[in-house]
Amino acid sequence: MTSATGRHLVDHHCHGVVLRDLDRTEFERLLNESGGPSPLGTSLFDSMIGLAVRRWCAPVLDLDPLVTADDYLARRRDLGFTEVAGRFLRESGTECFLVDTGYSPDAISGSAELARLAGGRAHEIIRLEGLVEDLLVAGVGAHELPERVARALEETTAVGAKSIAAYRTGLELPTAEPDAGDVARALDECEPTSAGAYRVAHPVVTGWLAWAAINAGLPLQLHVGYGDKDANLREGDPLLLTRFLRATEEHGVPVLLLHNYPFHRNAGYLAQVFDHVFMDVGLATHNTGALSAAVIRESLELTPFAKLLYSSDAFGLPELYHLAALLFTRGLTTLLDTLVDRGEAAPADADRISALILRENAQRVYSKI
Amino acid sequence: MTSATGRHLVDHHCHGVVLRDLDRTEFERLLNESGGPSPLGTSLFDSMIGLAVRRWCAPVLDLDPLVTADDYLARRRDLGFTEVAGRFLRESGTECFLVDTGYSPDAISGSAELARLAGGRAHEIIRLEGLVEDLLVAGVGAHELPERVARALEETTAVGAKSIAAYRTGLELPTAEPDAGDVARALDECEPTSAGAYRVAHPVVTGWLAWAAINAGLPLQLHVGYGDKDANLREGDPLLLTRFLRATEEHGVPVLLLHNYPFHRNAGYLAQVFDHVFMDVGLATHNTGALSAAVIRESLELTPFAKLLYSSDAFGLPELYHLAALLFTRGLTTLLDTLVDRGEAAPADADRISALILRENAQRVYSKI
Amino acid sequence: MTSATGRHLVDHHCHGVVLRDLDRTEFERLLNESGGPSPLGTSLFDSMIGLAVRRWCAPVLDLDPLVTADDYLARRRDLGFTEVAGRFLRESGTECFLVDTGYSPDAISGSAELARLAGGRAHEIIRLEGLVEDLLVAGVGAHELPERVARALEETTAVGAKSIAAYRTGLELPTAEPDAGDVARALDECEPTSAGAYRVAHPVVTGWLAWAAINAGLPLQLHVGYGDKDANLREGDPLLLTRFLRATEEHGVPVLLLHNYPFHRNAGYLAQVFDHVFMDVGLATHNTGALSAAVIRESLELTPFAKLLYSSDAFGLPELYHLAALLFTRGLTTLLDTLVDRGEAAPADADRISALILRENAQRVYSKI
């Protein structure tokens, strides 16, 4: 029904690409959410995402599907990182990237560079914890900060804001805007490291920041579920957000639950019952490779079609933008084609649903893109 | 193996139908567990249940499958609510309805009316919180209430009792019958609203009511998992009931876990290890439409075939009784037929399992039907 | 790709077989995790595992597939328990059994007897709580115990250690080795029953034992998820181990999460992000019978292929070793064959992945086998 070529995806959550050549260890470190291959294990190519790279990325580098990992990586180095990045980003069919530029443990591209390499457009998503940490580093005082943050969110060119409360203080965000005095006191308690950096991890601060985005009318992205081991996955269940969602619904500002796996059914429930809740299965899609179809299917059980978005959550490896786009589009299209074949949806339904999920929902939610 | 026609289902948990014509907004409000279409979304026909209505309900109203939502709703109004309700209820193949009449935000049919429209039989399930609230409104004093409730449960014509503790105080019900004095004190604390109504939400009271049903030998239905956003789904995990189930097992009174999605595998585990536990996947079946097969499959992984029941949990729209019956019967039959085709079950097994789940388990559990 | 005959499995977690003839009630009691058929239900042959026994075990006893349960059990008695046990154990294709001998509510075979019946090899896994309980019964004092346990773990011929903290104190194990004084005090508090037995259920003791295995460099097996109703499944979520896993990762000692169902996706995440974490879906595989393919598929979504192991967790019935081996091998092989058919893995990949999961991962993890 929907064609695999000529995709015009909006990727509503991704990061930048690493712009240098990588040896095998460096490549494997960026492949999944572990810190690299285990001394007790084998190569991380021995995984669903490893198979997917060999199957679906090799042909983009003019290789046969399923070449060995070493042959794949040799070809990658021969072509050079710029050519490789450009090929995968263009191949992804992504027209518009919403880029979280707040996470850069490695030297990665900014959003403009990403857009240029892809031949597409990019917008920034402002990371809330990063915003306040930058202001603290700049020496802005605790009592001045709330107004400075509010103004920054009003004036930003970013099209949305992202909270990583899940990594800092958990998802049980407050059901009302924290009191200004409490915020000032919590900010006062933030101490810099010896290097002069800040790491905001106070529940009053993360709660206040989430509410600040709501008050500014900026779509609020929340890290939920699957990620690296710095977060405790148990505390990443989107149902922990229920009270916050109940409290914020009347504000009419979109709240976007990112990743969600393995709690994507829970996220689908929230997207059904709360007017302002949206979800995706980013990161999980490319990590589960050929098995991602089941994850996509489960995410559609309860979620209205207007509430599911596409995201890659790709970081670092340009392969991941391509894999996420290909696997999500393929999984969704296959599911919809099956419904059409069985007479459970009309061809026009499949086209419409596909367009909503791959592009139009994001265009409606992020009014500035 | 099992035939789709001539079904004789027992629907062990449902509500009444709305007996008036509905405009599009009213129809969508009753379609799923949200309060209606979101201003940030699209029509709720853009969902798995929306597709299922157009596919499977349209022909019952003499329309082609997959007509537009507007054409569907126009035909529905032309036929009138009585004709529409009768068609869907009869088409559901339900012989016997166990009706929870305690939830009526809208004017809905009683159980007798439902039975008449369906050409079947109906029995009532008494809602425990409603029973005590009605007695409070009637002015019965706190010290008199326990005996009045016990007598009502002994004398009731209802065939089972339902607790909505999940909506009021959570599923961690007490492991022993609360002390009579504590119950009286908790009831004393219940205050009427200005309109003179009561809303019982004291853990001692909900715990006492669950035990009162056990003591009366009435099969105890418990709301678990999926429902509207008045409950916190996180507090709806059936595993929260473990200690209560361990404490009540020796009483030999059936405890029926309703809905369960997305915790249906957890419920299946409880149905396997506790003698008196039964489960269903009502509400989730019709909401997940063409994707319900996976939910039904997962619910059968651990649950003994004697412990899974059919329920629709239909409320309001007569379409939902039909969809739940059709999708559950089809999902179960397809799964069993596949087992037979692969030589993993005999045809007689499939017939027997199907009869247990669609009808006989309920007839064994509810001795008064 | 992989052949069903000539399997050479390593079963990294199982128990002994019951060596006597069984009547129908006794057989059903050992079939799943309930205590036997419910007075409110039907025969436990009415379940996925019941169908699997009739389908896959009957031919091993020279019967037609899907004979009745009574015919099956009559033939079983005619052959006698020794012949029956030998047939199923040999048919399982298991070359090496790692046997937890610490659980014996019934008179069951030791590991040597199991190996002899199977025509294979067996190694013991030492149960940590049993070790300390035996020393307490032998009158070893609290202050002497830590050193005695450490020495026993250094000198043991067991190839790994198993903790049943999930049954005793929950999975939130301490993030550092408990203080020696605290351990001695906790041991002092352990009181024998009137029969002179001990049941260790102090969090300091279970935490200390888990750390003692890590310190001794013994692969640490942890009961997680699915089991009988003595444990509270809600407290069996492997994500409860996150902080313990973070604390123990640098020690480089393998930690093996057993069973995991219905939390196997959570376990897969842990196996991906922590270098030293491995997982299996034992017990769930044979209990879910023909539906086990989905459980196996889900366990492979995130788990690197070097981190998933085969186990049966069979106990008592020799049928369970056969069913677990057959269903797991078949489920894995079918999944891999499908990937090969769709061009998403090469035939050599399928062979390699299969060998890792069925045998080689265990051989790498358990250095003494």
Side-chain angles (χ1 to χ4, degrees):
Chain A
M1 292 308 112
T2 53
S3 130
T5 58
R7 297 190 304 259
H8 299 290
L9 304 180
V10 178
D11 181 349
H12 92 108
H13 174 61
C14 66
H15 303 266
V17 281
V18 171
L19 292 176
R20 57 187 176 81
D21 289 323
L22 301 169
D23 65 25
R24 180 153 178 169
T25 302
E26 290 170 323
F27 186 90
E28 292 201 26
R29 272 192 190 140
L30 289 166
L31 192 58
N32 69 16
E33 294 303 298
S34 72
S38 165
L40 296 169
T42 61
S43 159
L44 287 179
F45 277 93
D46 279 335
S47 64
M48 290 313 301
I49 188 174
L51 290 176
V53 166
R54 287 170 50 226
R55 167 62 188 93
W56 297 108
C57 297
V60 178
L61 306 188
D62 315 314
L63 299 168
D64 286 337
L66 297 170
V67 290
T68 66
D70 281 336
D71 286 351
Y72 178 81
L73 293 169
R75 172 68 180 163
R76 203 179 186 282
R77 280 189 300 274
D78 288 346
L79 288 170
F81 66 85
T82 309
E83 173 67 16
V84 167
R87 287 196 189 190
F88 285 120
L89 285 165
R90 289 191 303 274
E91 188 71 20
S92 76
T94 309
E95 180 188 276
C96 180
F97 300 86
L98 307 195
V99 188
D100 169 10
T101 51
Y103 178 62
S104 48
D106 213 325
I108 54 165
S109 70
S111 58
E113 182 87 24
L114 190 77
R116 197 185 54 72
L117 285 162
R121 292 177 297 115
H123 298 278
E124 288 201 25
I125 299 291
I126 191 165
R127 196 183 275 217
L128 293 164
E129 292 79 6
L131 169 63
V132 76
E133 285 162 0
D134 287 349
L135 289 168
L136 283 166
V137 168
V140 178
H143 282 79
E144 206 184 334
L145 262 167
E147 206 210 302
R148 288 288 292 274
V149 164
R151 205 188 324 146
L153 295 179
E154 289 293 340
E155 295 172 359
T156 184
T157 57
V159 301
K162 179 179 170 191
S163 160
I164 54 163
Y167 276 91
R168 299 292 175 85
T169 55
L171 288 173
E172 296 194 75
L173 295 169
T175 56
E177 209 182 335
D179 173 79
D182 291 343
V183 173
R185 269 186 296 280
L187 288 167
D188 250 345
E189 288 172 25
C190 294
E191 294 286 344
T193 64
S194 56
Y198 283 84
R199 187 177 181 280
V200 166
H202 193 297
V204 170
V205 176
T206 52
W208 155 64
L209 287 169
W211 277 95
I214 297 284
N215 287 333
L218 273 184
L220 175 63
Q221 298 183 343
L222 289 162
H223 174 96
V224 179
Y226 187 30
D228 65 42
K229 68 188 162 195
D230 286 351
N232 191 336
L233 184 59
R234 186 168 170 83
E235 289 145 30
D237 183 342
L239 295 180
L240 288 165
L241 289 161
T242 306
R243 291 181 176 84
F244 174 75
L245 296 174
R246 203 175 279 138
T248 52
E249 188 176 27
E250 65 178 0
H251 293 259
V253 178
V255 174
L256 300 111
L257 311 181
L258 307 176
H259 326 316
N260 295 297
Y261 182 96
F263 309 113
H264 43 291
R265 280 172 157 166
N266 298 6
Y269 161 81
L270 295 171
Q272 175 178 105
V273 301
F274 289 108
D275 279 356
H276 64 325
V277 173
F278 298 78
M279 70 165 289
D280 70 48
V281 285
L283 190 58
T285 306
H286 55 269
N287 266 278
T288 57
L291 304 180
S292 54
V295 176
I296 294 165
R297 175 175 51 70
E298 289 167 357
S299 73
L300 276 166
E301 287 170 349
L302 290 194
T303 317
F305 304 142
K307 298 294 205 79
L308 182 66
L309 276 72
Y310 166 66
S311 93
S312 64
D313 192 26
F315 174 89
L317 298 183
E319 280 87 346
L320 305 183
Y321 303 81
H322 171 53
L323 281 181
L326 179 132
L327 291 166
F328 189 80
T329 305
R330 206 174 55 135
L332 180 63
T333 303
T334 303
L335 188 154
L336 295 173
D337 286 352
T338 303
L339 293 183
V340 171
D341 288 347
R342 292 186 187 160
E344 309 203 77
D349 292 324
D351 288 341
R352 170 175 165 71
I353 294 166
S354 186
L356 282 172
I357 293 172
L358 297 178
R359 181 173 52 254
E360 293 173 12
N361 290 338
Q363 290 166 340
R364 187 175 63 251
V365 166
Y366 297 95
S367 53
K368 296 203 273 181
I369 72 173
Chain B
M1 293 306 112
T2 51
S3 128
T5 56
R7 297 190 303 259
H8 299 290
L9 304 179
V10 178
D11 181 349
H12 91 107
H13 174 60
C14 65
H15 304 265
V17 282
V18 171
L19 292 176
R20 57 188 175 82
D21 289 323
L22 302 169
D23 64 26
R24 181 155 178 167
T25 301
E26 291 169 323
F27 185 89
E28 292 202 27
R29 273 191 190 141
L30 288 166
L31 192 58
N32 68 16
E33 293 303 300
S34 70
S38 165
L40 296 169
T42 61
S43 160
L44 287 178
F45 276 94
D46 279 334
S47 65
M48 291 312 302
I49 189 174
L51 290 176
V53 166
R54 288 170 47 225
R55 167 62 188 91
W56 297 108
C57 296
V60 178
L61 305 189
D62 315 313
L63 298 169
D64 285 336
L66 298 170
V67 290
T68 66
D70 280 337
D71 285 352
Y72 178 81
L73 293 169
R75 172 68 179 162
R76 202 179 188 282
R77 279 188 300 273
D78 287 347
L79 287 170
F81 66 85
T82 309
E83 173 67 14
V84 167
R87 287 196 188 189
F88 284 119
L89 286 164
R90 288 191 304 274
E91 188 71 19
S92 76
T94 309
E95 179 187 274
C96 178
F97 299 86
L98 308 194
V99 187
D100 169 11
T101 51
Y103 178 61
S104 47
D106 213 324
I108 54 167
S109 70
S111 57
E113 181 87 24
L114 190 76
R116 197 185 54 73
L117 285 162
R121 291 176 299 115
H123 298 277
E124 288 201 23
I125 299 291
I126 190 165
R127 195 183 275 216
L128 292 164
E129 292 78 6
L131 169 64
V132 76
E133 286 162 1
D134 287 349
L135 289 168
L136 283 166
V137 168
V140 178
H143 283 78
E144 204 185 336
L145 261 168
E147 206 211 300
R148 289 287 293 275
V149 165
R151 205 188 324 146
L153 295 179
E154 290 294 340
E155 294 172 359
T156 184
T157 57
V159 300
K162 179 179 171 191
S163 160
I164 53 164
Y167 275 91
R168 298 292 174 85
T169 56
L171 288 173
E172 296 194 76
L173 295 169
T175 56
E177 209 183 332
D179 173 80
D182 291 343
V183 173
R185 270 186 296 280
L187 288 167
D188 251 345
E189 289 172 25
C190 295
E191 294 285 346
T193 63
S194 57
Y198 285 84
R199 187 176 181 279
V200 165
H202 193 296
V204 170
V205 176
T206 53
W208 155 65
L209 287 169
W211 277 95
I214 298 283
N215 287 334
L218 272 184
L220 174 62
Q221 299 183 342
L222 289 163
H223 175 96
V224 178
Y226 187 31
D228 65 43
K229 67 186 163 194
D230 285 351
N232 190 336
L233 184 59
R234 185 168 170 85
E235 289 146 29
D237 183 343
L239 295 180
L240 288 165
L241 288 161
T242 306
R243 291 180 175 86
F244 175 74
L245 296 174
R246 204 175 279 137
T248 52
E249 188 176 27
E250 65 179 0
H251 293 259
V253 178
V255 174
L256 301 112
L257 311 181
L258 308 177
H259 325 316
N260 295 297
Y261 182 98
F263 309 113
H264 44 292
R265 281 172 157 166
N266 299 6
Y269 161 81
L270 295 171
Q272 174 179 105
V273 301
F274 289 108
D275 279 356
H276 64 324
V277 173
F278 298 78
M279 68 166 288
D280 70 47
V281 285
L283 190 57
T285 306
H286 55 269
N287 267 277
T288 56
L291 305 180
S292 55
V295 176
I296 294 165
R297 175 175 51 71
E298 289 167 356
S299 73
L300 275 166
E301 286 170 348
L302 290 193
T303 317
F305 305 141
K307 298 295 205 76
L308 182 66
L309 276 72
Y310 166 66
S311 93
S312 66
D313 192 26
F315 174 89
L317 298 183
E319 279 87 345
L320 305 184
Y321 303 81
H322 170 53
L323 281 181
L326 178 133
L327 291 166
F328 188 81
T329 306
R330 205 173 58 135
L332 179 63
T333 304
T334 303
L335 188 155
L336 294 172
D337 286 352
T338 303
L339 293 182
V340 171
D341 288 347
R342 293 185 186 162
E344 308 204 79
D349 293 323
D351 288 340
R352 171 174 163 71
I353 295 166
S354 183
L356 283 171
I357 292 172
L358 297 178
R359 178 173 56 255
E360 293 173 12
N361 290 339
Q363 290 166 339
R364 188 175 63 253
V365 166
Y366 298 95
S367 52
K368 297 202 275 182
I369 72 173
Chain C
M1 293 307 110
T2 51
S3 124
T5 58
R7 297 189 305 259
H8 299 290
L9 304 180
V10 178
D11 181 349
H12 91 109
H13 173 60
C14 65
H15 304 266
V17 281
V18 170
L19 292 175
R20 57 186 175 82
D21 289 322
L22 301 169
D23 65 24
R24 180 155 179 167
T25 301
E26 290 169 323
F27 186 90
E28 293 202 26
R29 273 191 189 142
L30 289 166
L31 191 59
N32 68 16
E33 295 303 299
S34 72
S38 164
L40 296 169
T42 61
S43 160
L44 288 178
F45 276 94
D46 280 334
S47 64
M48 290 313 301
I49 190 174
L51 289 176
V53 165
R54 287 170 49 225
R55 167 62 188 91
W56 297 108
C57 297
V60 178
L61 305 188
D62 316 312
L63 299 169
D64 287 336
L66 298 170
V67 289
T68 66
D70 280 336
D71 286 352
Y72 178 80
L73 293 168
R75 172 67 179 164
R76 202 179 188 280
R77 280 189 300 274
D78 288 346
L79 287 170
F81 65 86
T82 309
E83 173 66 16
V84 167
R87 287 196 188 190
F88 285 119
L89 286 165
R90 289 192 303 275
E91 188 71 19
S92 76
T94 309
E95 179 187 275
C96 180
F97 299 86
L98 308 194
V99 187
D100 169 11
T101 51
Y103 177 63
S104 47
D106 213 324
I108 54 167
S109 69
S111 57
E113 182 86 22
L114 189 75
R116 197 186 56 72
L117 285 162
R121 292 178 297 116
H123 298 278
E124 288 201 22
I125 299 291
I126 190 166
R127 195 184 274 216
L128 293 163
E129 291 78 8
L131 169 63
V132 76
E133 286 161 0
D134 287 349
L135 289 168
L136 284 166
V137 168
V140 178
H143 283 77
E144 206 184 334
L145 260 168
E147 205 211 301
R148 289 289 292 276
V149 164
R151 204 187 325 146
L153 295 179
E154 290 295 339
E155 295 172 359
T156 185
T157 57
V159 301
K162 179 179 171 190
S163 161
I164 55 163
Y167 276 92
R168 298 293 175 85
T169 56
L171 288 174
E172 297 194 75
L173 295 169
T175 57
E177 210 182 334
D179 173 79
D182 291 344
V183 173
R185 270 185 296 280
L187 288 166
D188 250 347
E189 288 172 25
C190 294
E191 295 285 345
T193 63
S194 56
Y198 284 84
R199 187 177 181 279
V200 166
H202 193 295
V204 170
V205 176
T206 52
W208 155 66
L209 287 169
W211 276 95
I214 297 283
N215 287 333
L218 272 184
L220 174 62
Q221 298 183 343
L222 290 163
H223 174 96
V224 179
Y226 186 31
D228 65 41
K229 68 187 162 195
D230 286 351
N232 190 336
L233 184 59
R234 185 168 171 86
E235 288 145 30
D237 183 343
L239 295 180
L240 289 165
L241 289 161
T242 305
R243 291 181 175 85
F244 175 75
L245 296 174
R246 204 175 277 139
T248 52
E249 189 176 27
E250 64 178 2
H251 292 260
V253 177
V255 174
L256 301 111
L257 311 181
L258 308 176
H259 326 317
N260 295 297
Y261 182 97
F263 308 113
H264 43 291
R265 280 172 157 166
N266 299 6
Y269 160 82
L270 295 171
Q272 174 178 107
V273 301
F274 289 109
D275 279 356
H276 63 325
V277 173
F278 298 78
M279 70 164 289
D280 71 46
V281 285
L283 191 57
T285 307
H286 55 268
N287 267 278
T288 56
L291 304 181
S292 54
V295 176
I296 295 166
R297 175 175 50 72
E298 289 166 357
S299 73
L300 275 166
E301 286 170 348
L302 290 194
T303 317
F305 304 141
K307 299 295 205 77
L308 182 66
L309 275 72
Y310 166 66
S311 94
S312 66
D313 192 26
F315 174 89
L317 297 183
E319 280 86 344
L320 305 183
Y321 304 80
H322 171 53
L323 281 182
L326 179 134
L327 291 167
F328 188 79
T329 305
R330 204 173 57 134
L332 179 63
T333 304
T334 303
L335 188 156
L336 294 172
D337 286 353
T338 303
L339 294 182
V340 171
D341 289 348
R342 292 185 187 162
E344 309 204 77
D349 293 323
D351 287 342
R352 172 176 162 70
I353 295 166
S354 184
L356 283 171
I357 292 171
L358 297 178
R359 179 173 54 255
E360 294 173 11
N361 290 338
Q363 290 166 341
R364 188 175 63 252
V365 166
Y366 298 94
S367 53
K368 297 202 275 181
I369 72 173

